[in-house]
mmCIF file of all heavy atoms in Angstrom:
data_model
loop_
_atom_site.group_PDB
_atom_site.id
_atom_site.type_symbol
_atom_site.label_atom_id
_atom_site.label_comp_id
_atom_site.label_asym_id
_atom_site.label_seq_id
_atom_site.Cartn_x
_atom_site.Cartn_y
_atom_site.Cartn_z
ATOM 1 N N LEU A 187 93.230 114.621 82.495
ATOM 2 C CA LEU A 187 93.295 113.197 82.185
ATOM 3 C C LEU A 187 92.828 112.448 83.430
ATOM 4 O O LEU A 187 93.623 111.888 84.185
ATOM 5 C CB LEU A 187 94.717 112.791 81.790
ATOM 6 C CG LEU A 187 95.241 113.402 80.485
ATOM 7 C CD1 LEU A 187 96.689 113.004 80.259
ATOM 8 C CD2 LEU A 187 94.390 112.977 79.304
ATOM 9 N N ARG A 342 90.300 102.335 80.727
ATOM 10 C CA ARG A 342 91.036 101.238 81.354
ATOM 11 C C ARG A 342 91.507 101.673 82.740
ATOM 12 O O ARG A 342 91.616 102.865 83.025
ATOM 13 C CB ARG A 342 92.230 100.844 80.490
ATOM 14 C CG ARG A 342 91.835 100.341 79.101
ATOM 15 C CD ARG A 342 93.068 100.005 78.275
ATOM 16 N NE ARG A 342 92.709 99.425 76.978
ATOM 17 C CZ ARG A 342 92.491 100.127 75.872
ATOM 18 N NH1 ARG A 342 92.620 101.463 75.914
ATOM 19 N NH2 ARG A 342 92.172 99.535 74.739
ATOM 20 N N ARG A 344 94.450 101.379 84.051
ATOM 21 C CA ARG A 344 95.791 101.958 84.078
ATOM 22 C C ARG A 344 96.236 102.341 82.680
ATOM 23 O O ARG A 344 95.775 101.788 81.683
ATOM 24 C CB ARG A 344 96.796 100.978 84.687
ATOM 25 C CG ARG A 344 96.519 100.703 86.156
ATOM 26 C CD ARG A 344 97.524 99.709 86.734
ATOM 27 N NE ARG A 344 97.167 99.415 88.118
ATOM 28 C CZ ARG A 344 96.326 98.471 88.470
ATOM 29 N NH1 ARG A 344 95.755 97.730 87.561
ATOM 30 N NH2 ARG A 344 96.045 98.263 89.742
ATOM 31 N N ALA A 345 97.151 103.299 82.629
ATOM 32 C CA ALA A 345 97.786 103.709 81.374
ATOM 33 C C ALA A 345 99.275 103.408 81.454
ATOM 34 O O ALA A 345 99.836 103.274 82.537
ATOM 35 C CB ALA A 345 97.559 105.205 81.135
ATOM 36 N N SER A 346 99.919 103.326 80.306
ATOM 37 C CA SER A 346 101.364 103.131 80.298
ATOM 38 C C SER A 346 102.045 104.430 80.707
ATOM 39 O O SER A 346 101.501 105.520 80.535
ATOM 40 C CB SER A 346 101.833 102.717 78.902
ATOM 41 O OG SER A 346 101.675 103.786 77.986
ATOM 42 N N LYS A 347 103.258 104.322 81.256
ATOM 43 C CA LYS A 347 103.996 105.512 81.671
ATOM 44 C C LYS A 347 104.282 106.424 80.478
ATOM 45 O O LYS A 347 104.276 107.643 80.601
ATOM 46 C CB LYS A 347 105.318 105.105 82.332
ATOM 47 C CG LYS A 347 105.170 104.491 83.714
ATOM 48 C CD LYS A 347 106.552 104.214 84.295
ATOM 49 C CE LYS A 347 106.454 103.637 85.689
ATOM 50 N NZ LYS A 347 107.812 103.372 86.268
ATOM 51 N N GLU A 348 104.546 105.815 79.320
ATOM 52 C CA GLU A 348 104.933 106.584 78.150
ATOM 53 C C GLU A 348 103.762 107.338 77.518
ATOM 54 O O GLU A 348 103.950 108.377 76.890
ATOM 55 C CB GLU A 348 105.578 105.658 77.106
ATOM 56 C CG GLU A 348 106.893 105.035 77.545
ATOM 57 C CD GLU A 348 106.701 103.895 78.536
ATOM 58 O OE1 GLU A 348 105.573 103.358 78.593
ATOM 59 O OE2 GLU A 348 107.663 103.545 79.252
ATOM 60 N N ASP A 349 102.557 106.809 77.650
ATOM 61 C CA ASP A 349 101.402 107.397 76.966
ATOM 62 C C ASP A 349 100.188 107.419 77.881
ATOM 63 O O ASP A 349 99.448 106.434 77.956
ATOM 64 C CB ASP A 349 101.090 106.602 75.693
ATOM 65 C CG ASP A 349 99.907 107.175 74.924
ATOM 66 O OD1 ASP A 349 99.512 108.321 75.218
ATOM 67 O OD2 ASP A 349 99.396 106.467 74.035
ATOM 68 N N PRO A 350 99.935 108.534 78.591
ATOM 69 C CA PRO A 350 98.760 108.612 79.476
ATOM 70 C C PRO A 350 97.449 108.397 78.733
ATOM 71 O O PRO A 350 96.470 107.937 79.323
ATOM 72 C CB PRO A 350 98.849 110.036 80.045
ATOM 73 C CG PRO A 350 100.272 110.431 79.892
ATOM 74 C CD PRO A 350 100.758 109.757 78.644
ATOM 75 N N CYS A 351 97.412 108.722 77.427
ATOM 76 C CA CYS A 351 96.179 108.568 76.655
ATOM 77 C C CYS A 351 95.856 107.103 76.363
ATOM 78 O O CYS A 351 94.754 106.798 75.881
ATOM 79 C CB CYS A 351 96.278 109.351 75.344
ATOM 80 S SG CYS A 351 96.229 111.153 75.569
ATOM 81 N N SER A 352 96.803 106.188 76.633
ATOM 82 C CA SER A 352 96.528 104.766 76.398
ATOM 83 C C SER A 352 95.469 104.233 77.352
ATOM 84 O O SER A 352 94.964 103.128 77.161
ATOM 85 C CB SER A 352 97.815 103.948 76.530
ATOM 86 O OG SER A 352 98.322 104.024 77.861
ATOM 87 N N ARG A 353 95.123 105.017 78.354
ATOM 88 C CA ARG A 353 94.046 104.623 79.278
ATOM 89 C C ARG A 353 92.689 104.597 78.576
ATOM 90 O O ARG A 353 91.779 103.863 78.954
ATOM 91 C CB ARG A 353 93.993 105.609 80.452
ATOM 92 C CG ARG A 353 92.971 105.245 81.515
ATOM 93 C CD ARG A 353 92.820 106.357 82.545
ATOM 94 N NE ARG A 353 94.042 106.641 83.246
ATOM 95 C CZ ARG A 353 94.502 105.957 84.276
ATOM 96 N NH1 ARG A 353 93.821 104.920 84.715
ATOM 97 N NH2 ARG A 353 95.626 106.288 84.858
ATOM 98 N N TYR A 354 92.551 105.392 77.513
ATOM 99 C CA TYR A 354 91.246 105.583 76.887
ATOM 100 C C TYR A 354 91.104 104.719 75.635
ATOM 101 O O TYR A 354 92.079 104.398 74.961
ATOM 102 C CB TYR A 354 91.048 107.056 76.550
ATOM 103 C CG TYR A 354 91.277 107.934 77.760
ATOM 104 C CD1 TYR A 354 92.419 108.719 77.863
ATOM 105 C CD2 TYR A 354 90.385 107.925 78.825
ATOM 106 C CE1 TYR A 354 92.657 109.493 78.991
ATOM 107 C CE2 TYR A 354 90.606 108.686 79.953
ATOM 108 C CZ TYR A 354 91.745 109.472 80.039
ATOM 109 O OH TYR A 354 91.984 110.212 81.166
ATOM 110 N N ARG A 389 91.160 115.821 75.290
ATOM 111 C CA ARG A 389 92.607 116.037 75.269
ATOM 112 C C ARG A 389 93.371 114.996 74.443
ATOM 113 O O ARG A 389 94.468 115.267 73.979
ATOM 114 C CB ARG A 389 93.150 116.010 76.703
ATOM 115 C CG ARG A 389 92.632 117.125 77.593
ATOM 116 C CD ARG A 389 93.278 118.450 77.253
ATOM 117 N NE ARG A 389 94.697 118.429 77.525
ATOM 118 C CZ ARG A 389 95.248 118.763 78.702
ATOM 119 N NH1 ARG A 389 94.464 119.145 79.698
ATOM 120 N NH2 ARG A 389 96.552 118.720 78.880
ATOM 121 N N CYS A 390 92.807 113.820 74.264
ATOM 122 C CA CYS A 390 93.503 112.729 73.583
ATOM 123 C C CYS A 390 92.874 112.492 72.213
ATOM 124 O O CYS A 390 91.807 111.860 72.113
ATOM 125 C CB CYS A 390 93.454 111.455 74.427
ATOM 126 S SG CYS A 390 94.320 111.604 76.013
ATOM 127 N N THR A 391 93.506 112.983 71.190
ATOM 128 C CA THR A 391 92.997 112.875 69.832
ATOM 129 C C THR A 391 92.857 111.409 69.420
ATOM 130 O O THR A 391 93.756 110.600 69.635
ATOM 131 C CB THR A 391 93.932 113.593 68.842
ATOM 132 O OG1 THR A 391 94.082 114.951 69.253
ATOM 133 C CG2 THR A 391 93.368 113.546 67.434
ATOM 134 N N LYS A 393 90.750 109.299 70.664
ATOM 135 C CA LYS A 393 90.261 108.469 71.767
ATOM 136 C C LYS A 393 88.847 108.889 72.145
ATOM 137 O O LYS A 393 88.371 109.979 71.790
ATOM 138 C CB LYS A 393 91.182 108.605 72.980
ATOM 139 C CG LYS A 393 92.615 108.168 72.734
ATOM 140 C CD LYS A 393 92.717 106.657 72.544
ATOM 141 C CE LYS A 393 94.176 106.216 72.463
ATOM 142 N NZ LYS A 393 94.302 104.753 72.383
#
Side-chain angles (χ1 to χ4, degrees):
L187 294 176
R342 298 178 176 89
R344 294 179 183 87
S346 68
K347 288 184 178 180
E348 295 76 19
D349 181 14
C351 289
S352 64
R353 184 188 299 278
Y354 307 107
R389 296 285 295 271
C390 296
T391 304
K393 299 291 187 176

